[in-house]
Amino acid sequence: MTPPRTTAEAHLRRMADLLEEARQDLDGGGAPPKCLLPGLMRLIPCDAASFCELDIPTRRELNAQAIGDEDEAEADMDGYWTWRHQHTQCLQVCRPHDVPETTQMADFRSVRELRSLPIYTEFLAPHPTIASVALPTAPNRTRVFQFFREDRNAFTDHEMTTLRMLAPHLYDLYKVAARRRRQPVRLTHRELDVLRCVAVGMSTAQIAEQLVVSPSTVRKHLENAFGRLGVSSRTAAVARVFPEPEAL
């Protein structure tokens, strides 16, 4: 006779089942798999959950999924961009990192402190309690799962440990799903060489010296690459060709 599972064993099984369900959904068209948010909400009870990718310089929302509270799904991004400097957790999420990072708003500000700031009334209300799993991404971009509660109590240690344990698996699932969705990038060898140099922060003059060509040739390669990729900036081109930091 099989002994009954402990609460901890049952919770681990639910986590494993969630990941297996997501692996089966990799061909469903979403990056990350669309079954993840509802599954995560079953593990981490909350009023709303979302996955969002933002390009900070251009203020563009590149990818978004949301489930739960309608107000959260339709949040006014104008308020976010106006008062983003007060969103301490979001500034942490935007910081470059090579591995997934798990935080919650209570790590940075109490609800009492938050409610006195415009970012709360203009964007966050009525969800002052937020947990995040931030995935690595290109410079000046965010790629993050978020969990929102109206309850002022912080997420528990057990809930945050669950997210930390899941975080590397969520990142792996995202990468596999994104690769399956991505259209192949067709660049010449020289265009790719130039973009590799751009990706590590080299200027036009430095790239020209490195590749032993003229600056005008570097600019021409960039222009051609932008046209092939359908982008208009170096940042966007790097993010398109090298979407993951480890690819550089």
Side-chain angles (χ1 to χ4, degrees):
M1 180 175 178
T2 303
R5 287 177 177 165
T6 65
T7 301
E9 288 173 334
H11 188 67
L12 288 171
R13 170 49 55 191
R14 292 171 63 200
M15 293 167 61
D17 289 345
L18 165 66
L19 296 174
E20 182 58 30
E21 180 185 6
R23 292 186 187 103
Q24 298 299 319
D25 192 34
L26 283 171
D27 292 323
K34 292 184 178 179
C35 69
L36 270 178
L37 284 183
L40 288 167
M41 286 184 74
R42 291 192 296 269
L43 283 175
I44 310 294
C46 54
D47 299 301
S50 70
F51 176 81
C52 186
E53 294 187 79
L54 295 178
D55 185 75
I56 305 305
T58 60
R59 299 189 174 187
R60 290 184 301 142
E61 186 177 74
L62 306 173
N63 182 13
Q65 299 178 22
I67 187 171
D69 193 302
E70 291 294 329
D71 292 336
E72 185 57 45
E74 299 177 5
D76 178 10
M77 292 300 293
D78 288 341
Y80 170 79
W81 291 114
T82 300
W83 301 106
R84 180 175 174 273
H85 62 282
Q86 295 181 346
H87 197 325
T88 320
Q89 184 186 22
C90 190
L91 298 181
Q92 174 70 17
V93 165
C94 187
R95 184 181 60 81
H97 50 98
D98 297 327
V99 296
E101 293 189 347
T102 305
T103 61
Q104 65 169 318
M105 182 66 80
D107 297 335
F108 307 97
R109 293 187 189 276
S110 68
V111 173
R112 183 174 182 179
E113 292 174 313
L114 189 64
R115 288 172 68 94
S116 67
L117 299 174
I119 185 67
Y120 177 79
T121 55
E122 295 294 327
F123 182 71
L124 292 175
H127 299 102
T129 306
I130 307 170
S132 295
V133 178
L135 307 183
T137 186
N140 288 320
R141 287 193 171 184
T142 62
R143 177 184 290 160
V144 59
F145 290 91
Q146 291 185 298
F147 308 89
F148 305 89
R149 283 180 180 163
E150 295 182 21
D151 189 340
R152 295 177 59 172
N153 295 323
F155 286 82
T156 66
D157 290 342
H158 174 70
E159 290 166 336
M160 297 305 295
T161 297
T162 296
L163 290 177
R164 280 191 287 271
M165 292 175 66
L166 286 171
H169 303 287
L170 298 179
Y171 186 32
D172 288 341
L173 285 164
Y174 173 87
K175 289 189 289 186
V176 173
R179 281 196 296 267
R180 293 190 181 192
R181 291 183 65 196
R182 192 175 302 128
Q183 294 296 318
V185 177
R186 300 185 183 279
L187 299 175
T188 68
H189 290 302
R190 197 47 125 183
E191 289 163 359
L192 190 56
D193 288 343
V194 169
L195 286 179
R196 285 197 181 103
C197 293
V198 170
V200 296
M202 296 174 67
S203 67
T204 297
Q206 290 171 327
I207 297 171
E209 182 178 358
Q210 179 76 14
L211 301 181
V212 195
V213 296
S214 69
S216 61
T217 298
V218 171
R219 287 190 287 269
K220 187 61 177 178
H221 284 312
L222 283 172
E223 179 184 333
N224 291 338
F226 290 176
R228 295 175 191 272
L229 296 170
V231 300
S232 58
S233 70
R234 295 184 178 209
T235 299
V238 169
R240 176 76 170 86
V241 179
F242 308 112
E244 311 302 336
E246 62 266 29
L248 297 182

